[in-house]
Amino acid sequence: MPGHKPIIDNNISQRALSAYLGLAIGDALGATTEFLTPNEIKVQYGVHETISGGGWLHLKPGQVTDDTEMSLALGDALIKSGGVSAKAVAESFSDWMRSKPIDIGNTVRRGIVQFRNTGRPWVDENEYDAGNGACMRSLPIAILYVNGSVDTLIVASRTQAHTTHNNPLSDAGTEAALEMCAAAMKGEDKSRLREIADRLVDNHKVFRFDNRRIENPSGYIVETLQAVFQAIFDNDDFESTLIDVVNRGGDADTTGAIAGMVAGALYGQSGVPKKWLKRLDPFIVNRCKSQTDELLKLAAEQPGAG
């Protein structure tokens, strides 16, 4: 791709950590502009590019939301089980909800309540559950199965996703994002990520992202990923990608989180701005680091790893 900066860091562990920290950074950065329109952001911030907290949740600077917290809950379940177990995932999400999180999506809440009431760690397919809640938290799956086949990644993705979200578009979008993260962790360049995004569009035309700029993206997985793909492919570094996507407003903590995990894997440790990393909650930074280490240890033990 013209003007694309070469990737310097080829170490999977560093890219995995950068993806996790990128997710948390995008979450914290985007939470400030969540539910604002681009014009409202311009009036209040000019260009929003500082992890400053605030927003409708009145966050402290560097504080994260359910995007990062649910990712960590998922990672805990994977580590506890040594792999992906629907029951362990549902239990971990239930424990997280019990902690009274600052924010929780309606589809997520409904799925967790159903698990508590029935003991069944999956929901039925629902045409109205094409939200982004399964995608935003999915990164630990990509780290654990970074050396696995695409089929393995898909099975694992659906096992975690269907605890709360069971929808073909949600599945397809989440799986594409995970495949992009895994490819980038292994040092694949942006052209490979574009192939994955284009294949998603070929299979589900509704995801087409090259016809108009997506502003004020909703929690619908299609709009979320259209905005994320545009930001990734229209920019050539982590910082520009994140600034682009969170200044579109809408569900900005989630578009920021998903763009952050893909861009973090793509650009590696050297690409993540230290000014943002320093603003992130140190507890969250440490959790991301320790969990990445544990997931990669498990990744080396998975069938086909090597």
Side-chain angles (χ1 to χ4, degrees):
M1 208 170 243
H4 177 49
K5 295 181 181 178
I7 296 171
I8 299 170
D9 178 0
N10 286 313
N11 186 293
I12 285 180
S13 65
Q14 290 300 321
R15 289 187 182 282
L17 177 57
S18 298
Y20 223 145
L21 293 173
L23 182 157
I25 287 169
D27 181 9
L29 185 71
T32 304
T33 55
E34 187 180 14
F35 300 141
L36 296 179
T37 66
N39 284 337
E40 288 169 336
I41 294 168
K42 286 178 186 176
V43 169
Q44 293 188 41
Y45 303 101
V47 175
H48 174 56
E49 55 187 10
T50 302
I51 294 180
S52 55
W56 76 280
L57 291 170
H58 307 290
L59 300 178
K60 298 175 183 176
Q63 187 177 358
V64 296
T65 74
D66 53 335
D67 300 68
T68 307
E69 290 175 350
M70 288 202 80
S71 299
L72 290 166
L74 173 59
D76 285 342
L78 299 178
I79 292 164
K80 179 180 178 182
S81 300
V84 62
S85 156
K87 184 178 180 183
V89 171
E91 287 175 343
S92 191
F93 290 163
S94 180
D95 289 344
W96 167 74
M97 191 168 87
R98 197 168 284 114
S99 74
K100 295 183 170 54
I102 194 167
D103 189 26
I104 183 169
N106 291 331
T107 305
V108 168
R109 184 189 299 276
R110 188 166 63 246
I112 293 172
V113 169
Q114 178 190 282
F115 168 67
R116 289 178 176 177
N117 290 338
T118 67
R120 192 181 77 170
W122 70 87
V123 296
D124 294 326
E125 185 175 323
N126 188 329
E127 65 177 307
Y128 301 109
D129 284 352
N132 56 25
C135 187
M136 71 183 192
R137 68 188 187 220
S138 63
L139 178 63
I141 294 287
I143 298 174
L144 179 58
Y145 296 104
V146 64
N147 291 315
S149 67
V150 173
D151 287 344
T152 300
L153 198 67
I154 288 173
V155 171
S157 177
R158 293 185 187 182
T159 300
Q160 80 83 16
H162 291 180
T163 57
T164 57
H165 293 67
N166 187 347
N167 176 278
L169 288 179
S170 174
D171 284 347
T174 300
E175 290 151 19
L178 285 173
E179 192 178 346
M180 291 170 78
C181 285
M185 285 180 215
K186 291 183 284 190
E188 299 276 6
D189 64 16
K190 199 189 289 188
S191 64
R192 174 63 185 134
L193 305 194
R194 181 67 192 236
E195 289 174 8
I196 296 167
D198 286 343
R199 190 176 71 235
L200 174 66
V201 174
D202 287 342
N203 292 333
H204 301 276
K205 303 296 184 189
V206 69
F207 281 100
R208 183 181 175 190
F209 58 92
D210 61 355
N211 51 346
R212 65 180 179 87
R213 180 178 169 86
I214 300 298
E215 302 277 17
N216 203 29
S218 69
Y220 178 35
I221 187 65
V222 172
E223 290 187 11
T224 296
L225 289 184
Q226 285 173 324
V228 167
F229 291 163
Q230 287 175 351
I232 288 169
F233 298 123
D234 289 347
N235 294 280
D236 289 313
D237 59 68
F238 181 93
E239 185 171 1
S240 299
T241 300
L242 268 289
I243 290 172
D244 179 340
V245 82
V246 303
N247 279 275
R248 298 170 187 236
D251 199 5
D253 61 331
T254 299
T255 56
I258 297 171
M261 71 189 197
V262 177
L266 180 62
Y267 296 109
Q269 185 176 20
S270 61
V272 178
K274 290 184 173 58
K275 64 181 179 182
W276 284 347
L277 194 54
K278 288 178 181 176
R279 296 285 283 177
L280 204 56
D281 180 347
F283 175 76
I284 294 298
V285 171
N286 288 332
R287 289 272 282 134
C288 291
K289 287 180 177 178
S290 63
Q291 200 171 92
T292 299
D293 287 344
E294 291 296 319
L295 288 168
L296 287 172
K297 287 177 187 174
L298 284 173
E301 300 168 4
Q302 297 302 309

